[in-house]
Amino acid sequence: MPPAPSHPLLRAERIERRDPVAGAVLLHPVTLDLHAGEHLVMSGPSGAGKSVLMRSLALLDPLSGGVMSFQGRPVPACDVPLFRSRVAYLRQRPALLGGTVEDNLRLPFELKINAGRMYLRERALQLLEAAGKPAGFLAKEGRDLSGGEAQVMGLVRALQFDPDVLLLDEPTAALDPDSTAQVESLVLGWARERRAEVATVWISHDPAQGVRVGTRHCRMVAGRLSFTDATDADNAGAPREAA
Amino acid sequence: MSGGTYLTDLSWPALAISAALILINGAISLALRLNLEKKLALAALRTVVQLLAVGYVLGWVFAVNRWYVVVAMMVLMTLVAGRAAGERSRWTYRQMRADSIVSVWGSSWLVAAIGLFVVLRVHPWYEPQYVIPILGMILGNTLTGVALGMERITGELQSRRDQIETLLAMGATRWEAFRPAAQAAVRAGMTPVINAMSVVGIVSLPGMMTGQVLAGQAPEAAIRYQIVIMFLISAASGLGTVSVVLLVYKRLFSAEHRFLYWRLTEH
């Protein structure tokens, strides 16, 4: 079913999260709409809850309150795998699943959610090229990958399914400038290709990167999110933090 | 029953001579400074005390010969085995002990029931002379399978957390994300009985068979019993391993396809 145009791709309504063991507040209630075509960059000190929010957006951690909707509808438990295949979350260091880069790229095609889809080497090569990687990269052993190469592998693994939303948890924090440029050009190239249909969320400590990749910016401090762009001052997510 | 050199009873002096043999181990420990003398002495003492005690208890259970006494004994044995199965893992979660007991209990009683009532057809159904030793042998091996399965599955889940979350994030169902760890754990739990079945009779003569032969039974009859026992043991051990792995799955993965990793804590 095509989404009604008025609906955001992803909507978080007063979602909050507490530590499941100690009960401490990790994320104060936050409301966030992510529309197609938006690229939101989140900054803030480490431990402030950026990853917590991002994992909550990916439905990886249980919410203590609030509702997550995708294309205008709350996500029922049985549809979580489908949701996650449309809203791709990439952790800081992508986990390798054994074998070569190509083995890693093929693996998700074995999942039930991707039944009927076929791994296409041309598509993988196309994405790798956008990241400045030669075809020989496919044959590289996963355990020999550098941090930057692993990140490119993780991105290509996700992008070959053309998700609607890409959640990137500090994708370039541990990378050198060259690798950072490769990762950025891969994501930006893919987003340009699908222009108004997709959205991305980046966690980044680098203000310059925020300017390069972001259309919207927010900041997380001690579990509270505030939007820092002037146009966002009346955003429902941060009435108290609004200047 | 054949006559001749049939041993009816071991005398106390004979037992004492065999006990003296354990002193050899003690001497080795002293010579090599292994510091095992105390542990050895204690273990040897425990063997004597525990077996004497169980001998008296069994003697009493056999003499009373009431179904409720036999069942109470079975429950006690099962609880002890189930508790022991859950105490081995480095990574634990809150209901771990309950899950081990349920796995040991369910699988060993199910298989023991089939063995006793369908294969051996004991009569009456609570005949302690059969029920207690057969359940005991099944429990001992199920305990190993469940303990290994539990230890392995919790360890695998802990060490594979990144992989599991990556799979979930790519749209894997909770089962798809869990499966690689489950395979490793079930394999680990079933390996001992597969090994035992492969070498039985060649490398090892199982205790039960040895006992029967020593007590004067024809080896062919003892072997037939032993084959049945081996299969019962293997079935129960495999079943116990699988069930404990599935119980862990239920505890650590939610219906929303989330991995509740924080429930695993270090022992």
Side-chain angles (χ1 to χ4, degrees):
Chain A
M1 221 185 287
S6 58
H7 288 303
L9 267 179
L10 203 59
R11 158 169 273 177
E13 263 179 284
R14 293 193 63 77
I15 60 165
E16 55 185 308
R17 182 157 157 70
R18 285 164 191 279
D19 183 299
V21 184
V25 177
L26 301 174
L27 183 66
H28 290 279
V30 54
T31 296
L32 168 69
D33 282 352
L34 191 67
H35 291 273
E38 279 190 320
H39 302 288
L40 177 65
V41 178
M42 192 180 354
S43 61
S46 40
K50 303 187 295 296
S51 294
V52 172
L53 173 58
M54 197 168 256
R55 290 175 57 88
S56 301
L57 293 179
L59 298 182
L60 279 172
D61 288 332
L63 302 175
S64 319
V67 181
M68 283 289 305
S69 308
F70 181 62
Q71 296 180 337
R73 280 182 295 268
V75 185
C78 60
D79 280 348
V80 168
L82 179 64
F83 169 88
R84 294 205 189 110
S85 76
R86 303 316 306 153
V87 179
Y89 163 82
L90 271 92
R91 39 190 297 126
Q92 230 169 86
R93 273 208 56 99
L96 295 159
L97 302 166
T100 62
V101 168
E102 191 162 33
D103 293 335
N104 272 272
L105 297 184
R106 276 178 191 277
L107 190 125
F109 287 91
E110 291 166 18
L111 300 178
K112 209 163 63 190
I113 202 74
N114 295 322
R117 291 176 184 237
M118 290 263 287
Y119 169 72
L120 294 173
R121 182 174 284 172
E122 302 88 88
R123 177 67 179 143
L125 288 172
Q126 200 186 345
L127 289 164
L128 284 176
E129 201 189 332
K133 296 284 182 227
F137 187 67
L138 284 178
K140 220 167 165 178
E141 281 295 323
R143 59 172 176 274
D144 297 336
L145 297 183
S146 70
E149 290 173 328
Q151 198 59 259
V152 167
M153 185 281 293
L155 273 168
V156 173
R157 192 164 63 190
L159 292 179
Q160 56 184 347
F161 294 99
D162 272 325
D164 297 308
V165 179
L166 202 53
L167 304 173
L168 302 167
D169 191 344
E170 299 200 32
T172 59
L175 308 188
D176 60 74
D178 284 350
S179 305
T180 300
Q182 287 176 343
V183 165
E184 284 180 11
S185 79
L186 175 55
V187 176
L188 294 177
W190 167 79
R192 245 193 321 275
E193 212 177 279
R194 295 196 52 198
R195 206 164 180 80
E197 301 164 43
V198 299
T200 60
V201 181
W202 300 62
I203 295 179
S204 176
H205 286 293
D206 177 9
Q209 183 174 52
V211 173
R212 284 198 300 274
V213 304
T215 60
R216 213 176 146 198
H217 303 83
C218 60
R219 193 170 161 74
M220 179 77 79
V221 178
R224 291 179 197 277
L225 190 73
S226 52
F227 290 88
T228 47
D229 300 309
T231 51
D232 257 321
D234 57 352
N235 191 289
R240 268 169 297 170
E241 287 80 11
Chain B
M1 203 165 281
S2 60
T5 54
Y6 172 49
L7 307 166
T8 37
D9 231 344
L10 279 170
S11 63
W12 285 107
L15 276 176
I17 292 171
S18 71
L21 289 175
I22 201 80
L23 292 177
I24 294 175
N25 290 358
I28 292 172
S29 171
L30 280 174
L32 297 178
R33 299 184 186 186
L34 301 178
N35 274 333
L36 288 174
E37 311 89 61
K38 268 190 195 153
K39 279 188 179 171
L40 259 172
L42 193 69
L45 193 69
R46 282 189 66 157
T47 303
V48 174
V49 173
Q50 284 168 201
L51 287 180
L52 281 180
V54 89
Y56 283 116
V57 172
L58 284 181
W60 176 73
V61 171
F62 287 10
V64 174
N65 202 11
R66 290 278 188 278
W67 70 267
Y68 47 85
V69 176
V70 177
V71 170
M73 181 79 189
M74 290 165 68
V75 170
L76 183 72
M77 289 160 66
T78 307
L79 288 176
V80 171
R83 276 184 64 134
E87 272 166 11
R88 188 178 160 141
S89 298
R90 181 171 156 219
W91 296 94
T92 62
Y93 57 95
R94 230 167 23 147
Q95 308 90 339
M96 181 184 250
R97 176 172 290 167
D99 288 352
S100 329
I101 291 175
V102 167
S103 305
V104 168
W105 197 317
S107 50
S108 59
W109 282 45
L110 176 69
V111 171
I114 294 171
L116 289 166
F117 309 145
V118 182
V119 181
L120 301 174
R121 294 173 191 276
V122 298
H123 187 82
W125 62 267
Y126 56 87
E127 179 65 73
Q129 196 190 333
Y130 290 94
V131 173
I132 303 276
I134 284 178
L135 181 68
M137 278 186 283
I138 292 174
L139 278 176
N141 288 275
T142 308
L143 151 69
T144 309
V146 169
L148 283 173
M150 179 67 98
E151 184 188 31
R152 190 63 184 266
I153 192 66
T154 50
E156 290 281 335
L157 290 177
Q158 181 63 32
S159 67
R160 286 177 192 252
R161 185 184 149 190
D162 290 0
Q163 272 188 32
I164 290 168
E165 292 216 319
T166 298
L167 283 168
L168 288 174
M170 292 194 302
T173 62
R174 55 186 173 148
W175 179 252
E176 285 175 318
F178 177 69
R179 195 169 44 203
Q183 286 167 336
V186 171
R187 202 172 289 131
M190 306 242 289
T191 302
V193 287
I194 293 174
N195 287 346
M197 284 199 289
S198 318
V199 301
V200 68
I202 302 169
V203 179
S204 66
L205 282 180
M208 174 186 148
M209 200 176 113
T210 317
Q212 279 182 308
V213 172
L214 283 176
Q217 260 211 17
E220 304 89 64
I223 278 166
R224 241 174 291 145
Y225 264 97
Q226 191 57 48
I227 290 172
V228 169
I229 293 296
M230 287 302 283
F231 289 159
L232 294 183
I233 282 171
S234 304
S237 181
L239 209 57
T241 308
V242 170
S243 72
V244 83
V245 166
L246 291 179
L247 287 172
V248 170
Y249 170 68
K250 282 282 174 204
R251 300 283 188 201
L252 297 181
F253 286 83
S254 74
E256 294 84 20
H257 303 274
R258 289 183 181 123
F259 177 29
L260 313 177
Y261 57 88
W262 59 87
R263 291 195 177 167
L264 275 179
T265 51
E266 197 155 9
H267 194 55

